[in-house]
């Protein structure tokens, strides 16, 4: 028995696609939504560094708060919690765009936010580890509910909504 194949084309689909192409040509400057996204990022980062307990992170491997890592941290800095805070450099680098170690690069078509603190990548990585425990501190997508609370969950949806609103408002002015 021969397989059949059906194809269709609707003028509305073509018109919609052409409208999107034209909108993409008209909306070329995203500095305003990028500024809003940056502000949301720094505001929501604060909750990560305010944890007074393990939060949703898996606690210290092999012994929880009594693990060798926790004991070293307590001896070195005087406390176990909050997590991700020893010198404060990592926290500061993600709490404001002009803080030391902060990466915040915005232009009309690109946004880069992050931290240049060298050990941050080890906290963020899912790789096997022996010294620095998994302590993700940047949440954007679907991994957020696994570790984060409150403001970090839903970042991607909020940021996409900001972009969408900008595109709609700019398109209305341009057409």
């Amino acid at each position: 028995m021969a397989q059949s194949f059906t194809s269709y084309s609707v003028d509305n689909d073509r018109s919609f696609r052409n409208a999107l192409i034209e909108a993409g040509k008209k909306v070329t400057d995203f500095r305003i939504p990028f500024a809003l996204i940056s502000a949301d990022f720094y505001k929501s980062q604060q909750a990560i560094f305010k944890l007074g307990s393990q939060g949703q992170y898996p606690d210290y491997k092999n012994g929880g708060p009594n693990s060798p890592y926790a004991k070293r941290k307590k001896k070195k800095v005087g406390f176990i919690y909050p997590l991700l805070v020893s010198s404060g450099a990592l926290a500061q680098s993600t709490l404001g765009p002009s803080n030391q170690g902060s990466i915040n690069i915005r232009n009309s078509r690109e946004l880069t936010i992050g931290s240049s603190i060298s050990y941050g990548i080890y906290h963020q990585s899912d790789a096997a580890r022996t010294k620095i425990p998994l302590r993700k501190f940047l949440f954007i997508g679907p991994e957020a509910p696994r570790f984060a609370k409150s403001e970090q969950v839903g970042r991607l949806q909020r940021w996409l909504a900001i972009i969408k609103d900008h595109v709609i408002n700019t398109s209305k002015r341009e057409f």
Side-chain angles (χ1 to χ4, degrees), residues 28-29 31 66 68 106 111 124 142 164 166:
T28 59
D29 190 346
R31 287 177 293 182
N66 296 316
R106 295 185 307 232
L111 169 65
Q124 196 70 22
K164 178 182 173 185
H166 177 71

Side-chain angles (χ1 to χ4, degrees), residues 103-119:
I103 297 172
N104 187 299
I105 303 166
R106 295 185 307 232
N107 62 43
S108 63
R109 300 287 278 194
E110 295 179 25
L111 169 65
T112 304
I113 302 174
S115 172
S116 65
I117 302 300
S118 62
Y119 56 84

Side-chain angles (χ1 to χ4, degrees), residues 1 7 9 11-12 27 32 46 49 56 61-62 65 78-79 82 88 103 115 132 135 138 145 161:
M1 182 168 159
S7 177
S9 177
D11 283 339
N12 287 345
V27 184
I32 291 171
Q46 292 175 11
F49 294 99
Q56 292 186 208
K61 189 176 179 182
N62 301 324
F79 56 85
I103 297 172
S115 172
I132 296 179
R135 298 283 185 259
L138 297 175

